[in-house]
């Protein structure tokens, strides 16, 4: 049965088919790309002629992942974890914008769908070293065959730019078969009405030169106060 497509850009064009707990993924891309993500515990791949395609197992800080190269000829991937694949398809950020507040915690609303009859519980962590002060884990529980919002707590770094930035959502599912997987998303820091871009360099006299570009996307003028904070 055709289930849909995984929202993973590095997989290119992909289609998930399932027969109960068993799932298979068919992928191809107009240009060669390298994909790395968790697909299952025992993943194998072959091309349309039945020849084996190399799948590398990679141990990462987020758990085990698989890496393979995808090009214009379709690749059939077996051993797909159907639970994780369908969970991926039901994850989205409800409100992608957060306020550029320094020193305060905020909540990122994540919409999560559990397509299975059994309830699930676990933890979610927002990963973005250049944006967040630390890693904050938020627990959640979700009933079977339900959709709900999960609030993930985060705190921005003082030097986080007001712009659209990539983030990762790490899910750790509890139960008889604990599993971890990461979902790539994007988050808008600040309003879409304006952006700030900062650059710095050290000149020949060992002075710090900081350049700030303020970009106003509106037709009306805006005024800002800028304060430079240098700890220690």
């Amino acid at each position: 049965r055709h289930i849909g497509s995984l929202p993973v850009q590095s997989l290119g064009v992909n289609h998930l088919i399932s027969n109960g707990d068993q799932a298979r993924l068919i992928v191809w891309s107009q240009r060669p790309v390298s994909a790395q993500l968790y697909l299952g515990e025992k993943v194998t791949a072959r091309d349309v002629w039945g020849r084996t395609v190399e799948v590398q197992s990679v141990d990462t800080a987020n758990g085990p992942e698989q890496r393979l190269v995808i090009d214009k000829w379709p690749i059939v991937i077996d051993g797909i974890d159907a639970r994780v694949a369908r969970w991926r398809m039901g994850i989205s950020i409800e409100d992608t914008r957060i306020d550029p507040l320094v020193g305060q915690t905020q909540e990122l609303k994540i919409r999560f769908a559990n397509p299975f009859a059994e309830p699930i519980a676990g933890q979610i962590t927002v990963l973005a070293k250049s944006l967040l002060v630390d890693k904050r884990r938020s627990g959640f529980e979700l009933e079977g065959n339900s959709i709900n919002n999960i609030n993930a707590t985060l705190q921005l770094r003082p030097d986080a730019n007001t712009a659209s930035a990539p983030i990762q959502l790490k899910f750790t599912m509890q139960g008889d078969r604990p599993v971890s997987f990461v979902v790539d998303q994007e988050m808008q820091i600040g309003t879409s009405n304006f952006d700030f871009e900062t650059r710095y360099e050290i000149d020949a006299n060992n002075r710090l030169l900081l350049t700030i570009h303020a970009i106003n996307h509106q037709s009306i003028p805006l005024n800002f106060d800028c304060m430079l904070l240098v700890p220690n």
Side-chain angles (χ1 to χ4, degrees):
R1 187 162 66 96
H2 183 260
I3 304 300
S5 298
L6 299 186
V8 181
Q9 187 174 5
S10 62
L11 283 177
V13 182
N14 69 88
H15 293 279
L16 179 70
I17 56 178
S18 174
N19 181 14
D21 293 336
Q22 297 181 352
R24 173 178 293 166
L25 193 65
I26 304 173
V27 299
W28 67 91
S29 174
Q30 293 301 319
R31 57 181 180 83
V33 294
S34 178
Q36 179 174 318
L37 70 161
Y38 175 78
L39 294 171
E41 295 180 356
K42 298 180 180 180
V43 175
T44 60
R46 64 184 187 275
D47 61 18
V48 291
W49 293 276
R51 298 175 300 191
T52 299
V53 174
E54 181 183 8
V55 179
Q56 296 180 339
S57 297
V58 183
D59 291 326
T60 73
N62 300 322
E65 295 180 345
Q66 290 80 41
R67 180 191 300 156
L68 73 160
V69 176
I70 303 170
D71 58 20
K72 63 181 180 180
W73 291 104
I75 297 175
V76 181
I77 307 174
D78 285 309
I80 299 295
D81 190 322
R83 300 174 306 154
V84 173
R86 297 190 66 178
W87 283 332
R88 284 183 185 275
M89 296 169 63
I91 296 172
S92 62
I93 298 180
E94 188 73 2
D95 186 358
T96 59
R97 189 190 68 83
I98 64 171
D99 295 323
L101 301 177
V102 177
Q104 301 183 33
T105 59
Q106 301 186 65
E107 289 186 341
L108 186 67
K109 292 185 177 180
I110 301 167
R111 195 160 182 80
F112 192 98
N114 180 16
F116 302 102
E118 301 80 12
I120 57 173
Q123 293 180 329
I124 180 173
T125 309
V126 183
L127 305 175
K129 289 183 179 180
S130 62
L131 300 177
L132 305 180
V133 173
D134 54 12
K135 299 178 182 178
R136 297 173 181 263
R137 295 180 177 86
S138 303
F140 68 88
E141 294 182 3
L142 199 61
E143 296 296 327
N145 296 316
S146 64
I147 301 175
N148 208 340
N149 287 336
I150 303 170
N151 293 330
T153 304
L154 51 83
Q155 182 176 342
L156 287 178
R157 291 167 51 100
D159 56 352
N161 289 334
T162 54
S164 179
I167 64 172
Q168 290 183 317
L169 307 177
K170 179 182 178 180
F171 289 85
T172 302
M173 302 301 194
Q174 302 170 356
D176 296 336
R177 294 169 55 199
V179 65
S180 296
F181 62 95
V182 173
V183 176
D184 294 322
Q185 293 282 318
E186 283 198 353
M187 181 173 62
Q188 175 73 35
I189 301 175
T191 175
S192 60
N193 295 332
F194 57 85
D195 289 314
F196 290 105
E197 295 180 356
T198 59
R199 295 199 306 269
Y200 72 89
E201 60 179 327
I202 305 296
D203 67 5
N205 296 320
N206 204 33
R207 295 179 303 179
L208 172 65
L209 302 179
L210 177 65
T211 304
I212 304 174
H213 291 280
I215 305 171
N216 184 6
H217 299 292
Q218 300 182 104
S219 59
I220 59 175
L222 297 173
N223 296 317
F224 298 96
D225 290 329
C226 177
M227 180 171 57
L228 177 62
L229 303 177
V230 184
N232 302 320

